[in-house]
Amino acid sequence: VIKNLFELEKIAVLGHGNGGTVYKVFHKGTSSIYALKVLRFNDDSDRVWQQATREAEILKLVDSPFVIRCNSAFYNNGLAVGSDEPGGADLSFVMEYMEGGSLQDLLVSRKTLLEKEISEVAGCVLLGFRYLHDMQIVHGDIKPSNLLVNGEGKVKIADFGVSHVVDGGGVARHLLLESCMGTCAYMSPERFDPERWGGGGDGFAGDVWSLGVVALECHMGRFPLTRAGQRPDWATLMCIMCFRERVEVPETASPEFRSFVERCLEKDWRKRATVDELLEHPFVN
Ligand code: ATP
Ligand code: MG
């Protein structure tokens, strides 16, 4: 167990996100490699820190082969989150290191994946969803860069930077960061336009929508909701969500894959497939 941030030695930068930077680090005590995500906060009010502390505590409880494990969280003064000392402006999460990088990296090098591979990815993500949703956790930011691949080619869900924990009332309560800090491209219609879709849904269905977009992207080799070359900005996506009848799946897709994607990309979240239904779907089963 890592007790202090300074036990870790930075080896390389693995990537940059909207909230901060991910490093490859070495822990001398156990001779192991980890990934360290350093989040930067502009707002260091008590409320933000209270939320961050709570989120860090939740992350430590997550323990599934389909979800990236977060071993510990630290403030930039090196102390563990939850210790009596107050924190500083940064918050760091120690995670398991994923050798294969992200699905985003894989799509850059391979352009497209075979349906067999997409089925593998979808199966892992759905089992991750089942685990998280059982814990009342909505991920809220499923996209290729947040799905990581390990040395054995297994996929795990990463990055709870914008994750939510659903409270008793079934309303997704927001922790840590504002939603849609980065790309909104994978966001469900009910999050774009809660009024049109009856109050914004339970959040869990939103994760299913995002998986559908990712699966189709792996098949097409480009972001699937917009036309080739068209930027998936807020206004364009809003038009697609409101005016286009349904998302078009290319002719090259098998009937099983088409049906899987169409069940994920059902615009009305009440009619969209649930995680349990998709785990039984012929495409992943
Ligand atoms: P966002 O800030 O919206 O999540 P992002 O996912 O691109 O955007 P990060 O989560 O900071 O940004 O991750 C940046 C990159 O670092 C990822 O694309 C991935 O390549 C790499 N990375 C993240 N976590 C790990 C990890 N645990 N093991 C190996 N590489 C990682
Ligand atoms: Mg990320």
Side-chain angles (χ1 to χ4, degrees):
V1 181
I2 304 152
K3 293 213 177 61
N4 189 296
L5 190 55
F6 305 118
E7 290 173 30
L8 300 168
E9 199 181 300
K10 282 178 189 163
I11 305 173
V13 174
L14 292 170
H16 299 281
N18 297 296
T21 304
V22 181
Y23 301 90
K24 182 177 181 178
V25 294
F26 180 68
H27 182 237
K28 274 175 254 164
T30 55
S31 297
S32 345
I33 301 282
Y34 292 97
L36 181 76
K37 179 160 188 164
V38 181
L39 291 175
R40 271 170 211 108
F41 287 92
N42 300 320
D43 176 0
D44 57 359
S45 68
D46 280 355
R47 211 183 109 260
V48 170
W49 280 106
Q50 247 173 32
Q51 287 183 347
T53 302
R54 206 182 314 140
E55 169 128 340
E57 292 302 321
I58 291 162
L59 291 189
K60 281 194 269 177
L61 299 176
V62 170
D63 180 18
S64 154
F66 305 102
V67 180
I68 295 289
R69 234 195 106 74
C70 168
N71 300 62
S72 28
F74 301 100
Y75 298 118
N76 71 341
N77 58 8
L79 292 169
V81 170
S83 62
D84 293 335
E85 293 290 320
D90 292 353
L91 188 65
S92 302
F93 293 93
V94 182
M95 304 177 274
E96 65 183 295
Y97 170 64
M98 297 291 277
E99 244 183 276
S102 69
L103 195 60
Q104 178 66 47
D105 303 329
L106 203 64
L107 285 173
V108 168
S109 62
R110 292 261 319 266
K111 191 152 165 67
T112 60
L113 301 187
L114 302 171
E115 281 195 15
K116 205 168 119 261
E117 296 168 318
I118 301 171
S119 148
E120 246 341 274
V121 171
C124 290
V125 173
L126 285 166
L127 288 168
F129 281 173
R130 179 143 83 180
Y131 176 85
L132 291 173
H133 294 180
D134 278 349
M135 289 183 76
Q136 298 298 99
I137 297 173
V138 170
H139 186 285
D141 193 22
I142 292 297
K143 56 183 176 181
S145 71
N146 285 343
L147 300 175
L148 301 179
V149 186
N150 70 9
E152 289 129 49
K154 288 275 172 255
V155 173
K156 301 190 187 199
I157 301 174
D159 212 336
F160 294 75
V162 290
S163 65
H164 302 57
V165 173
V166 175
D167 67 22
V171 181
R173 181 158 45 90
H174 210 203
L175 299 174
L176 257 178
L177 300 173
E178 276 306 301
S179 66
C180 194
M181 277 215 19
T183 173
C184 310
Y186 300 85
M187 228 165 76
S188 61
E190 69 274 15
R191 264 181 81 193
F192 258 98
D193 195 353
E195 295 204 346
R196 175 185 289 259
W197 300 103
D202 59 5
F204 300 126
D207 281 347
V208 168
W209 170 277
S210 307
L211 171 62
V213 180
V214 171
L216 196 50
E217 177 164 347
C218 290
H219 178 81
M220 292 171 68
R222 65 169 181 84
F223 182 72
L225 301 186
T226 49
R227 271 178 240 105
Q230 193 180 25
R231 263 177 62 90
D233 55 33
W234 183 280
T236 309
L237 286 162
M238 197 71 179
C239 280
I240 292 165
M241 304 281 180
C242 297
F243 299 116
R244 215 184 281 169
E245 261 309 296
R246 51 167 57 232
V247 174
E248 289 148 50
V249 180
E251 295 295 319
T252 45
S254 72
E256 292 78 22
F257 181 55
R258 171 183 302 278
S259 146
F260 180 84
V261 169
E262 283 174 353
R263 291 298 294 131
C264 293
L265 298 182
E266 166 61 58
K267 284 189 184 178
D268 183 346
W269 64 272
R270 289 180 203 81
K271 295 186 197 145
R272 199 173 299 148
T274 62
V275 171
D276 286 334
E277 181 188 327
L278 292 171
L279 278 165
E280 297 295 317
H281 193 282
F283 179 65
V284 289
N285 208 323

